[in-house]
Amino acid sequence: MSVPDYMQCAEDHQTLLVVVQPVGIVSEENFFRIYKRISSVSQISVRDSQRVLYIRYRHHYPPENNEWGDFQTHRKVVGLITITDCFSAKDWPQTFEKFHVQKEIYGSTLYDSRLFVFGLQGEIAEQPRTDVAFYPNYEDCETVEKRIEDFIESLFIVLESKRLDRATDKSGDKIPLLCVPFEKKDFVGLDTDSRHYKKRCQGRMRKHVGDLCLQAGMLQDSLVHYHMSVELLRSVNDFLWLGAALEGLCSASVIYHYPGGTAGKAGAQRVPGSSLPAEAANRHRPGAQEVLIDPGALTTNGINPDTSAEIGRAKNCLSPEDIIDKYKEAISYYSKYKNAGVIELEACVKAVRVLAIQKRSMEASEFLQNAVYINLRQLSEEEKIQRYSILSELYELIGFRRKAAFFKRVAAMQCVAPSISEPGWRACYKLLLETLPGYSLSLDPKDFNKGTHRGWAAVQMRLLHELVYASRRMGNPALSVRHLSFLLQTMLDFLSDQEKKDVTQSLENYTSKCPGTMELITLPDGLTLPPVPFTKLPIVRRVKLLNLPASLRPQKMKSLLGQNVSTKSPFIYSPIIAHNRGEERNKKIDFQWVQGDVCEVQLMVYNPMPFELRVENMGLLTSGVEFESLPAALSLPAESGLYPVTLVGVPQTTGTITVNGYHTTVFGVFSDCLLDNLPGIKTSGSTVEVIPALPRLQISTSLPRSAHSLQPSSGDEISTNVSVQLYNGETQQLVIKLENIGMEPLEKLEVTSKILTTKEKLYGDFLSWKLEDALAQFPLQPGKVATVIINIKVKLDFSCQETLLQDLSDDGISVSGFPLCSPFRQVVRPRVESKPVNPPEGSKPGDSSHVKVSRSCTRAVCQVAWHSWFLPSLFGGKLLSIFQKGKEALFDNTIAFVESWFLSIFHSMECSGKQWQA
């Protein structure tokens, strides 16, 4: 026997093997349609008995395995069902001849056979036959299941007759020696009359009868025969058959302890039930039909041959622990024979299935490890793939997922071995996908945003590389791009600098032929690969929605709001939606965007790659309103720190807009990166209100801009400062041009003036205007210009106002742009704080000799004169009148003149002995 059956399980020892095969040319669809109906009749109950009969169907079975039928009867093909198409009577003889040829292949072991003919009608089809069934077509064949039931009845009758014939102790008859194929030459010339030879014959026959009893549903009888066989064979050291007897004992005990079966998902499950004799007939496989068989014709003198009730089962049945021990012993005996490698391998598989039910994973792994090293003949590549795949399933059955993934991956590599002329890259790819759970690997990038990394990164990267290569050899470049993108996104932290360069270079080569998209990729087997957004290329750490520039921010018109309008709403508490309201409130921004205006969102990003990262076509992803995103292109330095990036766009409609994320194109892969999927991102909110488009006004004046701001502007105001120098009494016009640079017409114009007041003193009303000419142009259409003329007239009265200049100086107000002070007041009437703390000796209170006049005071006088300030002289009743017209040279001469004049006045006064400082 050279072909192992990896689907073998312990309960298969009680089944009858029936082969179903096509004869001639039969379509695969029609064949398997009938095969499915035939295999549904897999379990029957014997009439007037407590026995159950099980059938095992195969559509392919190696004839050489049939030669081991005497060694283990469940390997013997006892039934043959053939299916053929025949549409004319002249083809019938040839078809029937093919049926007989097929029977001869398994003729030495067959109990009975059937031929199902489809398409033949007429006289031949109407003739009654027991071994042939005629049907007009594959749809009109309602009696297929009934024919199978009759067929199984005939199999049972033959089985029962053989069991009775072998079990009967005929004194004086010589018991034949049962042999496996490779033993026949070893027994040539042996003494058949020796006691050792007779014991060998008896032991092997007992074992054979035990197999027949197990197939016939007589569990207890099989246990008795197995025990007797073990004793006889052990005494003559017949190790091969002793191992078979021990395995039969284990199988019968497994059937007793685990009536639900040990095949798991791989085989047909039995419905769990009690193994007591009274309930044995109620154990059925799902979907199986029950057939009652009358064994009365096989009884002798009316005595039922089933003696199970007379012997206690527990006495002969092995315990669950002993079952494994006996399996180990049997396998050790098999290992002594090179030609029994298949038997040894299948015994290991059966033991593993039992241990899986017993939850003894470590012991099961020992059996599987032994199975791996069993040497068989030179296996074909297909057989190697099957072997590694079954080993993978068995490791999965006992919970060794990583080991299961390893053997599945070996099977995948075997599909594309160099010795195969046509490598099966699709099969390789499919098997590689099945290894992903064993390596804690998922093809959904969201699973890698949940926390710590699971699994061995090095093995996972190797597996992803193999998926990329296999998909490329399959001729699916989109699949290669998707797997390579997943590798770069999820394994970026584990890639070396050189590996990052290699992976990105390969990705660019792939995307040059097939760009990466955000579409789902559906594989032929139904598996869907989600898109892979590049959220790490670059990495975003903060997202901030920016307010519009001050010149574009919408301003509420207070005159339109009305007075005392309450915007408050009734307070209604609801604990159900309070949490959601809080979240919405946190996301809402307290400023507005305007329809049609450019809006900005700032991102803080950095480049984790060891080379310059080029990000193409980067823009915003929004929802709520129609939004035109203006793409940007970035070039980030290698391993740069946080780098500000501003993305802009224009809302086209009004409403509430939500910034959901951004899109990028990196290495030819288009990505939609959502903020919800970015770990560790900081944001102050992502929702903002978009109001309708507003008019935009540009103001220009005829005066030059001032270099100094006279008054700081508030946050809600936009201010500009212009400068003008006027003499008292002078008038000048200020021309203000109003240009509508927006898309909406200007409908209303309000002009107000703010008079600068300090300490409740009014310094003058300089401005006046008329809006009739300007308002005549309203509504001002886009692109039009309106003109407003402001009259500026200076009218100040300084006569007898000695405190005016000092108040102006104290208040920081300048008419000419320079601070002013009054030196005359300091000379004539010094303030308290200007008096010296310790006056010199001999001085009298109020003595003006202690007043110090500095050069700065004289310069201030000149400044006053510059602006035609007329002050009464306080020295000798003279009137000082100095006019300066703005020339610097004349200004310096005036300073010298005033200084000399002051000195002459002071020397003319009788102030000898006093110290003066000029």
Side-chain angles (χ1 to χ4, degrees), residues 30 45 59 67 164 262 423 454 508 602 740 744 807 820:
N30 291 334
S45 296
H59 56 78
E67 298 177 0
L164 291 174
T262 63
R454 295 180 57 211
E508 287 179 329
Q602 186 183 71
N740 186 355
E744 302 292 329
D807 291 340
L820 301 179

Side-chain angles (χ1 to χ4, degrees), residues 596-724:
D597 287 351
V598 176
C599 306
E600 298 178 337
V601 177
Q602 186 183 71
L603 282 66
M604 299 301 294
V605 304
Y606 72 88
N607 173 23
M609 305 300 283
F611 50 84
E612 183 182 16
L613 180 64
R614 297 187 302 274
V615 183
E616 304 173 359
N617 193 26
M618 189 174 187
L620 294 173
L621 297 176
T622 61
S623 62
V625 301
E626 184 180 349
F627 187 83
E628 179 186 0
S629 178
L630 304 179
L634 309 178
S635 182
L636 300 177
E639 298 179 349
S640 64
L642 285 178
Y643 186 84
V645 174
T646 302
L647 301 180
V648 299
V650 180
Q652 304 295 327
T653 57
T654 61
T656 300
I657 185 173
T658 301
V659 178
N660 300 319
Y662 60 93
H663 65 82
T664 60
T665 301
V666 183
F667 304 126
V669 178
F670 182 82
S671 302
D672 287 339
C673 304
L674 302 179
L675 299 183
D676 295 339
N677 298 333
L678 300 179
I681 190 172
K682 296 181 181 179
T683 176
S684 58
S686 59
T687 302
V688 67
E689 181 183 1
V690 179
I691 62 176
L694 298 177
R696 293 176 60 184
L697 181 65
Q698 179 173 295
I699 302 177
S700 59
T701 66
S702 59
L703 295 179
R705 185 179 298 272
S706 175
H708 304 279
S709 175
L710 298 181
Q711 182 181 8
S713 61
S714 63
D716 296 335
E717 295 179 353
I718 303 172
S719 64
T720 184
N721 302 299
V722 295
S723 175
V724 61

Side-chain angles (χ1 to χ4, degrees), residues 416-699:
V416 292
S419 58
I420 299 179
S421 57
E422 296 182 0
W425 287 106
R426 294 188 179 276
C428 173
Y429 180 81
K430 184 176 182 299
L431 290 174
L432 286 176
L433 287 180
E434 296 176 2
T435 66
L436 296 178
Y439 291 116
S440 301
L441 191 60
S442 168
L443 292 181
D444 190 350
K446 294 181 180 179
D447 295 338
F448 289 82
N449 297 333
K450 297 179 180 179
T452 58
H453 185 87
R454 295 180 57 211
W456 289 355
V459 179
Q460 292 172 345
M461 287 189 292
R462 177 66 179 272
L463 180 59
L464 290 173
H465 276 295
E466 292 170 353
L467 285 173
V468 172
Y469 187 75
S471 56
R472 183 177 70 85
R473 294 299 300 269
M474 286 167 53
N476 194 336
L479 204 55
S480 301
V481 171
R482 180 61 51 86
H483 288 312
L484 202 55
S485 302
F486 182 85
L487 169 64
L488 187 59
Q489 168 68 18
T490 59
M491 301 296 169
L492 185 62
D493 298 337
F494 305 98
L495 293 173
S496 64
D497 291 349
Q498 185 60 41
E499 288 174 336
K500 290 178 182 178
K501 294 179 182 179
D502 295 341
V503 171
T504 53
Q505 185 177 1
S506 299
L507 184 59
E508 287 179 329
N509 293 335
Y510 286 137
T511 53
S512 63
K513 302 176 182 177
C514 181
T517 64
M518 291 295 292
E519 298 178 359
L520 292 174
I521 297 180
T522 302
L523 301 178
D525 57 355
L527 181 64
T528 301
L529 298 183
V532 182
F534 277 161
T535 59
K536 293 184 178 181
L537 297 171
I539 297 177
V540 178
R541 278 291 174 259
R542 188 165 67 90
V543 176
K544 182 180 180 181
L545 276 66
L546 301 181
N547 199 352
L548 294 173
S551 60
L552 298 179
R553 294 176 188 172
Q555 303 292 332
K556 290 185 178 180
M557 298 178 62
K558 298 180 180 179
S559 59
L560 301 179
L561 292 177
Q563 297 180 354
N564 299 328
V565 178
S566 177
T567 59
K568 297 181 180 180
S569 61
F571 173 76
I572 302 176
Y573 173 73
S574 175
I576 299 177
I577 62 175
H579 179 69
N580 293 334
R581 284 180 176 175
E583 291 181 353
E584 293 297 328
R585 187 160 48 249
N586 292 335
K587 292 183 178 180
K588 193 67 178 292
I589 308 283
D590 58 356
F591 56 77
Q592 294 83 30
W593 284 349
V594 180
Q595 175 187 359
D597 287 351
V598 176
C599 306
E600 298 178 337
V601 177
Q602 186 183 71
L603 282 66
M604 299 301 294
V605 304
Y606 72 88
N607 173 23
M609 305 300 283
F611 50 84
E612 183 182 16
L613 180 64
R614 297 187 302 274
V615 183
E616 304 173 359
N617 193 26
M618 189 174 187
L620 294 173
L621 297 176
T622 61
S623 62
V625 301
E626 184 180 349
F627 187 83
E628 179 186 0
S629 178
L630 304 179
L634 309 178
S635 182
L636 300 177
E639 298 179 349
S640 64
L642 285 178
Y643 186 84
V645 174
T646 302
L647 301 180
V648 299
V650 180
Q652 304 295 327
T653 57
T654 61
T656 300
I657 185 173
T658 301
V659 178
N660 300 319
Y662 60 93
H663 65 82
T664 60
T665 301
V666 183
F667 304 126
V669 178
F670 182 82
S671 302
D672 287 339
C673 304
L674 302 179
L675 299 183
D676 295 339
N677 298 333
L678 300 179
I681 190 172
K682 296 181 181 179
T683 176
S684 58
S686 59
T687 302
V688 67
E689 181 183 1
V690 179
I691 62 176
L694 298 177
R696 293 176 60 184
L697 181 65
Q698 179 173 295
I699 302 177

Side-chain angles (χ1 to χ4, degrees), residues 846-866:
D847 192 346
S848 61
S849 63
H850 298 288
V851 178
K852 298 180 180 180
V853 180
S854 66
R855 180 180 178 89
S856 62
C857 294
T858 62
R859 183 176 295 276
V861 172
C862 296
Q863 294 174 5
V864 174
W866 175 277

